[in-house]
Each structure stands twice: as C-alpha cells, then as structure tokens.
C-alpha cells in the first residue's frame, strides 16, 4: 500500500531538506570573506597561480600577473613571506598604506574592502600571506552578479515546493470531493453501486475507505430494498385475513341468529391468524433493535427447555438433544431461543410420526453449529436459496405458516455474526443450522 501518511511525510521532509540547503547556502553567503575569496573570478585561483609563477618564472612574472589582475579587476594585491617582508612590489600604491594607517580609529569607512589569505607552496613548503584591497564599487558590481545564482536557486526551490504542495493537496482534496459527492447521493437515494470504483483502485487509505464505502452503500441499498419488499409482502399477507374477516362479517350481518353463531368460530380463527402474523412480523422487526450487551448462553439448558416445551405442544413427537461438552457462547439468549424454537416448530410440522427430531450443538473449527434435523420430505434444491426470505414458502407445502420462521432464524444468526445454513440431509430429511462464530461478531 502506498500510504498517504508516508507520502505527506516525504513531501514535508523534502521541503525541510530544500529549506535547510538554502539556509546553509545563505549562511555561506553571509560569511563574506570566505564567499568572496572562493567565488570571485580574480581571487579564487590567485594564490596558487601566483605561487607557481613566482617559484618557476621569478619575481617579474609574478609581478606582471598582479598588474594584469589590477587592470582587469581593479584589485590591489600585496604578498608577504613568513617574516612579514614583501616578496614582490605588489600593486599597492604607497599612499594607500598611509591612508589606512590614518583611518585605524574606524571613524571613516575605507573606500575598499581588505581581505587576506594564506597559501603554502606544495613544492617548497613556503607559506605566503596575500593581502587584497577590492574597491567597494567593484565589489558591489560583483555581488549583484554573484547573487543571481542563489536567488535563482531559491526561486526554483519555491516553485518546486509549490508544485509539490499542490500535488499533495489535490491528492487529498479530490478523493474527499468524490467521497462527499457519494455521501450526498447516498443521502438522496441516488447512489449507484461501485460509484467509487476508480477511487477504490488506489492502494492507499483513500482506496480502503472507498472500498468500505462501496460495501456500506451496497449494504444500505440491500437493506432498503429488503425493507421495501417486506412492506409489500406484509401488506399482501395482511390483505388475505382482513378480506376473509370482512367477508365473514358481511355474512354475519345478513345471517340468521343460528347461522351467525356458526360464523363466530370462523371469525375467531381469522383473528387468531391475524394476531399470529402480526406477532411474527414484530418479532422479525425487533431483531434489528439493540438487545444490549451479550451474555453467556447455556446451550444445554436452552435446548432442553425447547425440547420440553415442544413435546408439551407436539404430543408424542420424539426429540433428541445432543450438546458437545465445554461449549461456550456469548450472545443473546432470547434471540437464539426464538430462532431455534422456529426451527424446531418447522421440523415438527414436517417430521413423520414415529421419527426422531435431532437437535445438536457442536464446535467445528472456529465455528459453533446449532442444528435441527427432521426426517420429512425435505425441499427441492432449486428452492433452498430462497428459503429464509420473509414470507417465502416452498411450493407444495400444506402445513400452516406465514414463511417468517426461517427469516427470523436467519436474522438472529446474522446478528451474531453468523448465518443460517439450510439443506437436505444425505440420509433423508431437512437440516437447518445456525452457523455462528466462536468469538462473537455483531452484525449490523
């Protein structure tokens, strides 16, 4: 991942390095003596050149070289040996030395800049002291020319830093602008899935954020679509008992008293069905509510209680409970009890008389599986994928129900970070399994 953090950090380090380099350069420039001696075209090679001429060609050649420098750069040069005596005549006018002597009190500025340097001959080992006098007009003119390079370097550095800052700023603000537009579209329900696909291809924090946002948008659209479908299904399912109630009431109004008494049980049954349907719809809706903190679930006690309650209602149906030892689960007991009760009630509807319903809890790897198996006819494979959808019932079912039991169980499993797995058993019958993680992962 090309981290945005490291990109910004590298940018600032580059800026610091450039500023530090320019600071060092300007610091050298403030040291005027060293700067002039190393940069002035008439001075930076003068000691070595003069020494070579003096030692190889004599005093006249060395003196002529100093005269040439004076004519070209207006610089006076005097050379002293280690004892302080003049090696050559030099180019200092006699009156200049007297003038400097009179101005030693510093009350008036000298009309020239006085510089000195030492040079040791590599051949003889002799050390020479070179004294220079550079007129201020000459020095100012050279300064104006010599400052062009550092000022140009400073300007180039500022341009580079500005462009770099602009690129870093755009690399942050443009993705944020896209995210802002996607958030706006999501709020206006005009969000298109994978609208941030290009941004999601980035290998930095914005790419991770875009991927998470795309998943969130897809999840929200799925939830909104499922809620709309649920409302349509609820309205459709409620119409049937309400229509039957309306018809029964219309018949009761026109019927004789004896016939009317026969209609009351029918009206009561329709009201019971309507109440049961509304209760299941409310149970499904409550699964999206906050159930508080998770707590330990005693699976053995929970399954045995469901078995006893089911046998009281189901007559002579045989139910076998098997719980693996040392199973621990953090979750919401009421939610799991409602889910397993729905699975058990479904098994009781389809299990043939005399066959045993098997309820078991076991750990498989890092998953905890709570399953209910019956020995009924099972479900055709092409319908398995749709089981668990609200109000969906496999074709050919004659047992009473509204198609919400498996939807409630599936939502409960998802709230625990798991899923509902449905399938036909290889030896016959139907198996519904709550496949849950050992470590609780709360789903949105």
């Amino acid at each position: 991942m090309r981290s945005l953090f490291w990109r910004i950090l590298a940018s600032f380090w580059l800026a610091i390095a450039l500023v530090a380099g320019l600071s060092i350069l300007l610091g050298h420039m403030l040291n005027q003596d060293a700067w002039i001696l190393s940069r002035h075209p008439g001075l930076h090679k003068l000691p070595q050149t003069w020494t070579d001429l003096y030692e190889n060609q004599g005093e006249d050649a060395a003196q002529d070289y100093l005269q040439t420098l004076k004519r070209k750069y207006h610089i006076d040069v005097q050379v002293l040996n280690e004892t302080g005596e003049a090696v050559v005549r030099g180019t200092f006018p006699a009156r200049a030395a007297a003038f400097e002597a009179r101005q030693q009190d510093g009350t008036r500025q000298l009309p020239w800049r006085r510089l000195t340097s030492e040079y040791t001959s590599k051949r003889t080992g002799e050390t020479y002291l070179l004294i220079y006098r550079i007129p201020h007009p000459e020095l100012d003119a050279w300064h104006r020319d010599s400052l062009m390079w550092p000022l140009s370097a400073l300007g180039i550095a500022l341009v580079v830093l500005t462009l770099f800052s602009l690129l870093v700023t755009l690399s942050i603000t443009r993705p944020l602008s896209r995210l802002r537009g996607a958030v706006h579209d999501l709020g206006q329900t005009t969000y298109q899935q994978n609208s941030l696909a290009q941004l999601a291809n980035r290998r930095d924090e914005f790419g991770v954020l875009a991927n998470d946002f795309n998943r969130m948008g897809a999840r929200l659209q799925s939830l909104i679509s499922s809620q709309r479908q649920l409302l349509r299904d609820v309205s459709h399912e409620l119409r049937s008992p309400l229509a039957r109630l309306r018809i029964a009431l219309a018949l009761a109004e026109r019927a004789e008293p004896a016939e009317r008494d026969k209609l009351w049980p029918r009206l009561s049954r329709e009201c019971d069905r309507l109440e049961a349907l509304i209760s299941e719809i409310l149970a499904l809706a409550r699964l999206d509510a906050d159930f508080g903190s998770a707590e330990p679930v005693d699976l053995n006690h929970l399954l045995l209680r469901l078995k006893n309650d089911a046998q009281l209602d189901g007559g002579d149906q045989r139910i076998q409970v098997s719980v693996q030892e040392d199973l621990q689960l953090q979750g919401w007991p009421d939610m799991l009890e409602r889910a397993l009760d729905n699975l058990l009630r479904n098994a009781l509807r389809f299990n043939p008389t005399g066959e045993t319903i098997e309820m078991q809890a076991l750990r498989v790897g890092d998953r905890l599986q709570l399953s209910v198996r019956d020995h009924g006819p099972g479900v055709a494979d092409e319908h398995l994928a749709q089981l668990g959808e609200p109000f969906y019932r496999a074709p050919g079912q004659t047992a009473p129900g509204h198609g919400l039991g498996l939807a409630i169980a599936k939502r409960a499993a998802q709230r625990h970070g798991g899923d509902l797995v449905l399938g036909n058993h290889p030896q016959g019958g139907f198996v519904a399994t709550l496949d849950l993680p050992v470590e609780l992962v709360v789903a949105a």
Side-chain angles (χ1 to χ4, degrees):
M1 176 187 292
R2 292 196 294 268
S3 174
L4 197 64
F5 169 81
W6 291 112
R7 192 184 306 172
I8 296 174
L9 183 63
S11 302
F12 282 114
W13 269 109
L14 177 63
I16 292 172
L18 288 173
V19 172
L22 289 174
S23 299
I24 294 173
L25 177 63
L26 292 176
H28 281 299
M29 290 180 60
L30 293 177
N31 187 4
Q32 290 293 314
D33 285 356
W35 176 262
I36 296 172
L37 290 173
S38 62
R39 295 291 178 179
H40 195 285
L43 298 178
H44 71 288
K45 291 184 178 180
L46 188 151
Q48 180 180 356
T49 304
W50 180 89
T51 301
D52 292 341
L53 288 172
Y54 175 73
E55 294 180 348
N56 295 325
Q57 301 182 27
E59 294 184 7
D60 293 339
Q63 179 67 25
D64 291 342
Y65 176 67
L66 296 181
Q67 293 292 346
T68 302
L69 284 178
K70 180 176 178 63
R71 289 192 298 271
K72 186 175 182 179
Y73 296 109
H74 308 287
I75 299 176
D76 292 320
V77 183
Q78 186 176 16
V79 184
L80 306 178
N81 58 19
E82 294 179 349
T83 61
E85 297 177 353
V87 179
V88 294
R89 296 189 310 276
T91 58
F92 277 17
R95 63 181 184 278
F99 183 78
E100 281 189 0
R102 290 195 302 270
Q103 300 298 328
Q104 286 182 352
D105 57 355
T107 56
R108 293 177 57 188
Q109 183 181 9
L110 293 173
W112 52 73
R113 177 75 174 268
R114 182 186 177 96
L115 302 173
T116 60
S117 68
E118 288 186 353
Y119 183 79
T120 300
S121 173
K122 296 178 181 179
R123 191 181 73 173
T124 63
E126 190 78 17
T127 299
Y128 302 98
L129 175 66
L130 293 94
I131 304 172
Y132 317 101
R133 289 190 179 94
I134 307 176
H136 284 296
E138 167 66 21
L139 191 60
D140 293 340
W142 175 78
H143 268 312
R144 285 192 295 270
D145 295 335
S146 64
L147 285 176
M148 290 302 296
W149 180 82
L151 291 177
S152 300
L154 179 61
I156 293 172
L158 290 176
V159 171
V160 171
L161 287 176
T162 301
L163 293 176
F164 220 86
S165 301
L166 180 61
L167 290 176
V168 172
T169 303
L170 289 177
S171 70
I172 296 174
T173 56
R174 290 180 65 185
L176 287 177
S177 178
R178 293 182 187 174
L179 285 170
R180 183 163 130 344
V183 171
H184 179 270
D185 292 341
L186 187 62
Q188 300 295 324
T189 67
T190 58
Y191 175 76
Q192 299 293 325
Q193 288 192 14
N194 297 322
S195 63
L196 297 175
Q198 184 178 0
L199 183 59
N201 291 329
R202 290 177 51 145
R203 291 180 293 175
D204 56 16
E205 288 84 349
F206 280 117
V208 175
L209 180 59
N211 277 310
D212 292 341
F213 188 88
N214 281 337
R215 284 194 292 268
M216 180 191 70
R219 177 64 177 161
L220 285 176
Q221 283 195 326
S222 176
L223 288 175
I224 292 172
S225 177
S226 63
Q227 289 294 329
R228 290 174 178 172
Q229 183 63 39
L230 179 61
L231 287 175
R232 288 193 293 268
D233 294 339
V234 167
S235 63
H236 174 74
E237 292 293 327
L238 289 177
R239 283 195 189 99
S240 297
L242 287 174
R244 290 193 294 267
L245 278 174
R246 189 176 291 110
I247 293 172
L249 286 173
L251 293 175
E253 288 177 356
R254 297 182 178 86
E256 297 294 331
E259 295 178 356
R260 188 178 302 168
D261 293 337
K262 296 179 182 179
L263 290 173
W264 290 127
R266 179 180 175 183
L267 290 171
S268 179
R269 286 195 304 272
E270 295 298 337
C271 289
D272 291 340
R273 291 175 183 172
L274 186 59
E275 182 180 2
L277 175 59
I278 293 174
S279 298
E280 290 186 355
I281 292 172
L282 291 175
L284 181 63
R286 288 194 190 100
L287 292 178
D288 291 326
D290 186 6
F291 276 73
S293 301
E295 58 186 77
V297 180
D298 188 343
L299 293 174
N300 189 59
H301 178 72
L302 175 60
L303 295 180
L304 288 176
R305 185 170 68 248
L306 290 173
K307 170 188 174 181
N308 294 333
D309 293 343
Q311 287 180 332
L312 289 175
D313 298 336
D316 58 353
Q317 290 275 21
R318 290 184 298 179
I319 302 174
Q320 178 183 340
V321 175
S322 174
V323 180
Q324 184 178 333
E325 294 183 1
D326 300 328
L327 281 185
Q328 296 180 353
L329 176 65
Q330 287 287 119
W332 294 274
D334 292 341
M335 191 185 300
L336 287 174
E337 182 176 359
R338 184 177 295 116
L340 289 170
D341 182 65
N342 282 318
L343 297 182
L344 183 56
R345 299 291 174 178
N346 278 342
L348 289 171
R349 291 192 191 101
F350 300 102
N351 191 58
T353 304
E355 296 288 348
T356 301
I357 295 175
E358 301 169 9
M359 298 180 65
Q360 63 176 357
L362 64 128
R363 178 169 178 170
V364 180
D366 60 348
R367 311 294 293 181
L368 184 64
Q369 295 183 348
L370 309 176
S371 62
V372 179
R373 178 201 172 189
D374 61 52
H375 291 78
V379 178
D381 292 339
E382 61 267 21
H383 302 304
L384 288 176
Q386 292 179 272
L387 288 179
E389 299 292 332
F391 300 107
Y392 179 81
R393 303 186 70 200
Q397 291 190 15
T398 58
H402 302 97
L404 289 175
L406 293 179
I408 292 173
K410 182 176 182 179
R411 187 57 183 151
Q414 291 173 343
R415 285 284 291 178
H416 285 79
D419 201 1
L420 175 66
V421 181
L422 305 173
N424 296 306
H425 196 276
Q427 299 177 1
F430 186 76
V431 183
T433 303
L434 297 179
D435 184 43
L436 310 177
V438 174
E439 297 294 333
L440 178 63
V441 180
V442 181

